[in-house]
Every structure is written in structure tokens, then in C-alpha cells.
Amino acid sequence: RNDEVGRVVRGVNAMLDRLQRTMTDLRRFTADAAHALRTPLTVLRSGLEVALAQEREALEYRAAISDALATTGHINRVADRLLTLTRLEASAVPRVVERIDVAEILRELADAFGARALQQGFELRPEVEPQLWLRGDQSDLYRLFYDLIDNAVRYGVVTSQGAAEVSISARREGEQIRIVIADRGPGIQASDLPQVFERFYRGSDRSSADGGSGLGLSIARQIVRAHGGSIDVRNRSEGGCLVEVVLPADAESADD
């Protein structure tokens, strides 16, 4: 009924629904985290057990320790990303809000990844307008674009048709800043696109050997949401993948 008691009942039911969703998400997150960490921990334990099973030469022990260190590094990266994702999901706003020129971040990253792209046989082309000011957390925004460009360079492989360039474009459109990062790699299978932002989701064409954790795009979405923006991932008609980030521009930048 639409009276005081009815409104209280509806309020309690809505609260219980939110608690139920929170508990479901928590159980799923815990299960996903355990699954993500179980495999590298098993590899680490197995490698150490094999190394200790019998007397070996010093070089063999060094090789075993090197493998263990590499696996430990992967576990540390997963744990770091889990902590980052947990922090982002717990807060709807950036930790630190300051005035940032996102154009500077993009140019810096383009320079940093340019040499790596050339080593892989293709070119990284930035087309970034100057003075793209917004307000947010600089470290989170740096991480956002670092991960997105890293993915583009990693999967923007050279095909039989030639070099698969990676492009970075950024411009202001009214009260928004639009950043597009595109590659000419294999793209993402259509069946994988709806799940790319899910935690620990790895597409059917992604191998666990690439060192990824399956958390990068989940973290990217949370960073963008915290800054009041949107993010979209889709395949390009000419081949490859495109990531589009739209963020609110700083109102003061119009006077610069």
C-alpha cells in the first residue's frame, strides 16, 4: 500500500536487494581472485618441489630460482591490480582531484611506447590536441591510458598485409574530451565483446602466456566512471580494435 508502512517496506526491500547484490559480487570476486592466484601459486610450488627433489648443478638451481621469481612477479601484479580495483569500486570519486592536462599524459606515453612499437615492426601515431584540461586523479588517469596503450601495442601485431599501426587521438568536443586508441591487430571476437569489462575475463583468443591478469579493462572502466566519463571497446570495420574514452573537460579550460 502507498502509505507510511508501505514506503518503509519498500525501503527495506530495496536495502536487502542491495545487500544481496553486494554479497553476490563479493562471493564472485573472491572466487575469481582465488582462481587467478591458484594457477601461478601451483606453478611456483611445483617448480620449487622439482628443484628440491634431487641434488642439482648450480646453474639448474639458478634457473629454478629465476622461474620462481618470474611467477612471484606475476602474483604481485595480480595482487596489486586486485587492490587497485577494490579501491576504485569502493569509491565513486577520485582520491585526489587536481587540474590535469591529459594531452601531456598522452604525449608522454606515446613517446614511451614509440620505441617498443618500432621494435615490433609498426608505428605509433599520436594526434593529440594541446591543452586538454580536466579534473581528476593524475596517477589513476596515467594508469588508465598506460594500460590501454599497452594493450594496443601488445595486440597490434604485424600482419601479412604490412605494419599494424597504433593511433592515439584526443580532442575537445564542447564540454567533453574524446580520446581514441586504435590498432590494426586481430581485434576481439564478437562473442567476447560484451564481457571485456568483466573481472578476470580473458577472451577466447587471448593466451594466459601473455602475462595479463584479465583485470586491466575492469580497472579502466572504474577509473573512467570515477571521473564521470564513459568507455567503449569495439572492433574497427577495417580491422583491429578501438577503445574510446570520453571524459568531462574542465570548465576553466575554455578560458585558457
Side-chain angles (χ1 to χ4, degrees):
R1 296 170 55 184
N2 190 24
D3 56 13
E4 184 176 349
V5 174
R7 289 192 293 272
V8 171
V9 169
R10 288 194 294 274
V12 172
N13 285 339
M15 180 187 68
L16 292 174
D17 287 341
R18 289 194 298 271
L19 287 173
Q20 179 64 43
R21 289 194 296 270
T22 299
M23 293 303 298
T24 300
D25 289 344
L26 179 60
R27 285 194 294 269
R28 183 164 63 91
F29 184 83
T30 303
D32 288 343
H35 177 74
L37 293 172
R38 181 170 54 202
T39 298
L41 285 171
T42 300
V43 171
L44 177 62
R45 181 184 179 93
S46 298
L48 293 175
E49 287 177 343
V50 169
L52 292 174
Q54 63 184 44
E55 291 294 327
R56 300 179 183 276
E57 298 292 331
L59 288 177
E60 293 179 300
Y61 282 124
R62 289 184 63 87
I65 292 172
S66 295
D67 290 341
L69 282 174
T71 304
T72 302
H74 176 71
I75 294 172
N76 284 338
R77 288 191 295 274
V78 172
D80 175 68
R81 286 179 172 263
L82 283 170
L83 289 172
T84 298
L85 188 57
T86 301
R87 171 181 62 80
L88 291 167
E89 291 182 340
S91 176
V93 296
R95 289 177 299 176
V96 179
V97 178
E98 55 186 323
R99 197 161 180 258
I100 301 164
D101 183 6
V102 73
E104 183 178 343
I105 294 176
L106 293 171
R107 286 194 294 267
E108 180 180 336
L109 289 172
D111 289 341
F113 280 96
R116 177 174 147 193
L118 288 175
Q119 287 178 351
Q120 294 179 210
F122 58 90
E123 187 177 2
L124 194 154
R125 293 187 174 181
E127 296 180 2
V128 180
E129 289 184 1
Q131 304 292 309
L132 296 175
W133 295 95
L134 53 79
R135 292 190 179 273
D137 186 307
Q138 181 159 354
S139 61
D140 281 347
L141 289 172
Y142 189 94
R143 178 167 198 157
L144 163 69
F145 293 115
Y146 180 98
D147 285 350
L148 294 180
I149 296 173
D150 179 55
N151 277 344
V153 172
R154 180 182 304 175
Y155 296 119
V157 296
V158 177
T159 65
S160 58
Q161 287 75 31
E165 73 175 35
V166 172
S167 63
I168 303 171
S169 66
R171 64 183 184 274
R172 176 159 180 162
E173 298 179 351
E175 298 180 353
Q176 297 178 326
I177 297 173
R178 187 178 304 275
I179 302 101
V180 176
I181 299 168
D183 65 63
R184 293 184 181 274
I188 300 174
Q189 292 192 15
S191 58
D192 293 330
L193 281 172
Q195 290 86 36
V196 292
F197 291 109
E198 296 295 322
R199 291 189 296 254
F200 299 106
Y201 186 80
R202 303 181 61 79
S204 53
D205 59 346
R206 297 291 190 250
S207 168
S208 59
D210 65 7
S213 63
L215 291 170
L217 285 176
S218 296
I219 292 173
R221 181 174 61 175
Q222 291 300 326
I223 292 174
V224 171
R225 283 180 173 177
H227 287 78
S230 63
I231 181 171
D232 181 47
V233 177
R234 58 184 182 271
N235 287 320
R236 307 170 69 188
S237 58
E238 63 269 38
C241 184
L242 179 151
V243 181
E244 182 180 69
V245 176
V246 179
L247 296 168
D250 180 23
E252 294 181 15
S253 62
D255 302 326
D256 290 343

